[in-house]
Amino acid sequence: MTDRYAVLGNPIGHSKSPLIHGLFAQATGQDIAYTAIEVPLDAFNETVLAFRAGGGRGLNVTLPFKLQAFEIATDPSERARLAGAANCLKFDGERILADNFDGVGLVNDLRRNLGCPLAGKRVLLLGAGGATRGALLPIAAEGPALIAVANRTAGKAHALQRDFAAHAQLQSGGYDDLGGQRFDVVINATSAGLTQETLPLEASVFAPGAVAYDMVYGKGLTPFLQQARAAGVSRVADGVGMLIEQAAEAFAWWRGVRPETRAVIQQLTVPLA
Ligand code: ATR
């Protein structure tokens, strides 16, 4: 029998998840149906429960419901708990298991697809919202030399530092506090680019040979990636690989089979310039 999965969000029309999971299912011979469901803003919980009641096996969850996905879970993973957000649910009888694969997707993309393992690296995360929260634990697990979080509102970066104190040593502050430091990997986890705004970054923040990574995907050279290019960075990437790697984690969690990602990344990559 065909097992049913879906991605929930609002809006959801842009979602690549049905395409990605369809390609994974084809490649691994798994019999699944995967759809996209636009959920009214006030109807997240009832939509999840109705999907489960109809025989659904699991869900991906995207904006703006990742916090609610965490809250509806009976069994959240530790990284979902620390992020306070989940992007994946799995139904097991009455239990609702939740995980957050965004961070591990990012780390896997950097290591496997971009040849940039984080061990020993100086890593700078820009932004202190949900995207950064989701990424911190998987980044820390790779053993970087330093993780710094810079945010427009410095207090939110400091709050992250406190929340993660038992799990990761972070440096936190505003953009001004970066003062002459250089980083090997600079990751944009802000939503500034969506409004074409640029971040107040010195060109010197990028160490020689640095990688600049924007979690946004499919938008070509974002303002942040343009800033990096102007600063002389040649290794720039958007978040398409992160999207597909987190999907692969979800697929493996649901189905017990790990799909190959490379061909799917090639198919979905939009040239940056
Ligand atoms: P997400 O879940 O995508 O991380 P979020 O929790 O709303 O979304 O966080 C958005 C992040 O982008 C925040 O770090 C925000 O900075 P503030 O905490 O100071 O609001 C950051 N951001 C959004 N627009 C920005 C801009 N124009 N310049 C700098 N940072 C910006």
Side-chain angles (χ1 to χ4, degrees):
M1 204 182 91
T2 304
D3 288 332
R4 292 175 54 222
Y5 297 87
V7 58
L8 307 186
N10 186 336
I12 200 65
H14 65 283
S15 177
K16 302 267 185 254
S17 292
L19 172 62
I20 294 168
H21 283 280
L23 291 168
F24 286 166
Q26 216 171 32
T28 57
Q30 293 283 306
D31 185 13
I32 70 165
Y34 189 109
T35 53
I37 301 174
E38 184 158 300
V39 179
L41 292 176
D42 60 354
F44 178 75
N45 282 10
E46 64 197 72
T47 304
V48 170
L49 298 177
F51 188 78
R52 181 176 69 171
R57 301 289 301 272
L59 290 164
N60 280 132
V61 179
T62 187
L63 299 178
F65 299 119
K66 291 184 184 184
L67 303 184
Q68 289 175 66
F70 169 70
E71 280 160 13
I72 201 174
T74 57
D75 296 69
S77 69
E78 185 178 35
R79 60 191 168 200
R81 202 174 294 126
L82 268 167
N87 81 336
C88 197
L89 301 175
K90 180 161 78 171
F91 303 124
D92 179 12
E94 283 304 299
R95 294 162 67 211
I96 302 178
L97 286 63
D99 212 327
N100 189 326
F101 296 123
D102 288 333
V104 73
L106 167 71
V107 163
N108 286 349
D109 188 35
L110 282 162
R111 179 168 11 84
R112 293 181 189 160
N113 307 319
L114 301 168
C116 181
L118 296 181
K121 299 269 170 52
R122 293 170 58 83
V123 179
L124 172 60
L125 273 157
L126 307 172
T132 293
R133 269 185 187 272
L136 275 174
L137 211 54
I139 289 175
E142 297 292 296
L146 171 69
I147 307 174
V149 177
N151 194 44
R152 178 174 62 182
T153 312
K156 265 173 74 178
H158 295 319
L160 269 189
Q161 184 179 23
R162 284 194 297 276
D163 290 353
F164 281 79
H167 304 270
Q169 295 303 308
L170 305 181
Q171 176 188 308
S172 65
Y175 292 102
D176 288 350
D177 299 322
L178 291 171
Q181 293 182 84
R182 285 165 182 260
F183 295 89
D184 306 306
V185 183
V186 182
I187 299 164
N188 180 26
T190 76
S191 47
L194 301 178
T195 48
Q196 293 302 311
E197 286 171 88
T198 49
L199 299 168
L201 286 177
E202 303 283 341
S204 60
V205 81
F206 300 99
V211 169
Y213 193 104
D214 202 322
M215 289 193 186
V216 165
Y217 65 88
K219 302 258 186 263
L221 266 190
T222 62
F224 166 69
L225 295 179
Q226 287 173 33
Q227 266 179 296
R229 278 266 172 91
V233 176
S234 58
R235 299 171 74 196
V236 299
D238 75 356
V240 67
M242 173 177 171
L243 172 75
I244 292 163
E245 293 293 346
Q246 68 75 30
E249 292 294 315
F251 193 93
W253 191 48
W254 288 331
R255 309 300 302 176
V257 183
R258 172 162 291 283
E260 288 290 330
T261 53
R262 197 165 290 266
V264 181
I265 291 173
Q266 273 165 7
Q267 186 169 335
L268 267 72
T269 293
V270 176
L272 286 179

